[in-house]
Each structure stands twice: as C-alpha cells, then as structure tokens.
Amino acid sequence: MQVKINGKQEDVNVKNILELLKARNVEPEMVSVELNSQILDRKDYAATSIKEGDTIEFLYFMGGGVAKEAV
Amino acid sequence: MSSFTEEQIRRYSRHIILPEVGGKGQRKILETKVLIIGAGGLGSPIGLYLAAAGIGRIGIIDGDVVDLSNLQRQVFHHTSDLSRPKVESAKAKMLAINPDIEVATYNERLSSKNVMSIFSEYDIIVDGTDNFPTKFLINDAAIFANKPLVHGGILRFDGQVMTIIPNQSTCYRCIFHNPPPTGLVPSCQEAGVLGVLAGVIGTIQATEVLKLAVGKGRLLSNRLLTYNALRSKFREVKLHRNPKCAVCGEKPTIKELIDYEQPVCAI
Ligand SMILES: [Zn+2]
C-alpha cells in the first residue's frame, strides 16, 4: 500500500500505526504521529489503521543545547 | 528617528535601511524584552544575535557552570570561562557585543515556583533547553501567561523550530502531549549532537523573535520547521491546534503548572 511518510512516497505492508512504528524501529513513546493532518493520541496507535494514500508525519522529541539539567 | 543617538543610527544602520524594519522597527526591537531559557547550544546563538540586533532587555536563565564538553557548540562560552556560571559568561559576551542593551541573569533552574514571576517581566520567551520536563513547563507557563514562545530542539543531526502564539496556534503539548518516559530520552541515552546544528536552529529562533518584535513576516506558527544536517534538508510540517490538548484544547485539564520528574542521567 502506498502512503506518504514525512514527505516521501513509500510502500508499506502494515495494518496500523503501531505496526508501522515497530517496522521502522521507532520507539512509540518518542514520537508523535500526525495522520492526514491530525495529531493522534499515543494510546490510539494500535487502533488507528492505515489506508492507501494516507499522509503520515512522524514528529520526534528533540532536546536542546544545554548539558544535563541546568534549567 | 529622532530618538536614536548618533551611535545607535550607525550601529543599527543595516536594519534601519531595510524597509521592513526601518527606524520604527528598530525602535520596537530596542523596546522588546526577551527571556532566553538556557545558556547552552541554542541559547548562545540566540543571545549573541539578539544582543547584536539591539533587543533592549535580555533575560537569561541557567543554573549550570561551563564545562569543557560544552565548548564544542555553546559559543557563548570561551575556554577561559570553564567553571564560571553560564549566565555570567553569557552576559559578558552579550554586553561585549552591544553595551546598548540590558541583560538580566538568573543563575537558577526554572521551576513551577519561579516561572510565572520571571515570565511576567518579558514580552517573548525563547526555549533553549534540552530537557522535556522544562519544555513542557515553559509551554504551559507561556499559555497561562499568554506570551509568545519560540520552541527549538536539536538531536544528533536534526533540529526543529516552531513559534507558539498561545490560544491561537498549535502549542508544544498539542503535538507531544506529555514528556517521554525518562529512560527513553535520547538526551540521556545518546546525547550526541553536531555542534553547528545549534547555530542553525538557534539563529532561526532568533529570527522568529525579531519578526515578533517588528511585527513583520510570517511566523513559524502552525508549522514545524525541521532540518536535517546530513541531508541538508529543511521540511515544513503543517500543524493544527489539537482540540484535545490538555492545556489549550476545548476542555483543558491542566490548570496548574507541573514539575515533571527530571531524568537522571550521567553524561
Ligand atoms: Zn495546545
């Protein structure tokens, strides 16, 4: 099935968002997923199925430039 | 223009001749008060460029001292600053570039106790922290205080920037909901970052601050700009406010600031 992931057209063979994350080795707790312009709840990843033509964005947690826990 | 000194006209001439900025815009820059959270990788380019631009009052908060491993990317600090409080080192560099501005330092960690009183003294908040508990605290406090917040993050070869206009545009919590479990946080597990990335992302954050100050241009709100240094690629992800957001959604459940547990990591 053809879907667009982070702007790239890809062929995937998974049923839901959780399977997609697992297949790509993405830790579900370290990413937010936007499906067709809607941010999903993390608890809904397994229940959210993927269809042909879906647009999926992985939005990753990213820190900053401060070492340790100074602020 | 009459309110500028001779020296200010010369110092800011390359701004003043831009029609989008002009004397009026530079006056606004001089009257804007900006709080930078973190005097590290992101905070350094943000602070240096905003000082140079003439942001009238810059506040900087950080409770750490300069360590040798910081110098690869935290350009506020020089080798001669080792062991010095970061906010002191940062203040000295900003005033060395531009003695025309005021710098206030907070040599402490941001928490639910001090955040609202510190935020109340500033017009714009800039996030230069690396830990997620503080990023969520800053987001919620910015929503409560109704102050624009410029978010930035970097990790390995990737960076992201977004500007949050409270209750008008997508907030950090609209996207990320809650801090990730502490054991999985890459800033602990794998804290590597290409030093120059802090310059790329921090400079974009500083640009957002200047656009907010002058009131010109199109902000990075409702869009997350991401950058990958290895592929030299920028991408923009369009975003919408999340009606289920716990702090700015239709039925907000967060009414008080939260001090999430800080991950304990030995880097
Ligand atoms: Zn929100």
Side-chain angles (χ1 to χ4, degrees), chain B residues 44-60:
Chain B
S44 296
I46 296 166
L48 294 172
Y49 272 109
L50 291 184
I55 289 288
R57 185 178 164 90
I58 296 178
I60 185 131

Side-chain angles (χ1 to χ4, degrees), chain B residues 74 81 169 174 178 204 225 239 251:
Chain B
Q74 302 184 14
D81 294 311
S169 77
C174 282
N178 283 299
I204 296 172
L225 187 72
L239 297 165
K251 287 182 209 136

Side-chain angles (χ1 to χ4, degrees), chain B residues 139 143 169-175 241-242 245-249:
Chain B
N139 180 74
I143 303 279
S169 77
T170 311
C171 86
Y172 192 67
R173 212 181 263 285
C174 282
I175 308 172
R241 285 178 70 191
N242 185 345
C245 176
V247 72
C248 84

Side-chain angles (χ1 to χ4, degrees), chain A residues 4-8 27-34 36-45 55-71, chain B residues 40-42 61-64 70 74 109-110 128-132 134-135 153-154 158-160 172 174-178 180-181 184 186 224 235 237-240 263:
Chain A
K4 202 183 233 182
I5 302 174
N6 285 21
K8 261 213 231 128
E27 172 55 57
E29 300 279 356
M30 285 310 298
V31 70
S32 267
V33 180
E34 194 192 54
N36 302 327
S37 300
Q38 281 214 303
I39 301 278
L40 301 176
D41 270 6
R42 254 184 218 110
K43 60 174 169 46
D44 295 337
Y45 289 172
T55 298
I56 299 161
E57 293 282 347
F58 294 152
L59 308 168
Y60 294 97
F61 275 109
M62 277 180 212
V66 184
K68 290 181 255 174
E69 314 136 49
V71 283
Chain B
L42 293 172
I61 176 164
D62 197 311
D64 211 351
N70 301 153
Q74 302 184 14
R109 279 175 60 167
L110 198 70
T129 63
D130 86 329
N131 72 84
F132 300 106
T134 309
K135 285 193 181 305
I154 51 176
D158 291 287
Q160 59 184 211
Y172 192 67
C174 282
I175 308 172
F176 292 109
H177 318 297
N178 283 299
L184 293 174
L224 182 78
R235 280 198 73 229
V237 183
K238 295 228 175 349
L239 297 165
H240 304 274

Side-chain angles (χ1 to χ4, degrees), chain B residues 109-158:
Chain B
R109 279 175 60 167
L110 198 70
S111 75
S112 64
K113 307 276 181 301
N114 60 13
V115 64
M116 293 310 283
S117 70
I118 297 174
F119 276 24
S120 71
E121 311 213 6
Y122 296 90
D123 307 308
I124 301 167
I125 314 298
V126 194
D127 174 8
T129 63
D130 86 329
N131 72 84
F132 300 106
T134 309
K135 285 193 181 305
F136 280 89
L137 177 70
I138 294 167
N139 180 74
D140 296 353
I143 303 279
F144 292 158
N146 197 26
K147 308 255 168 158
L149 164 64
V150 183
H151 155 79
I154 51 176
L155 178 67
R156 293 189 277 266
F157 298 98
D158 291 287

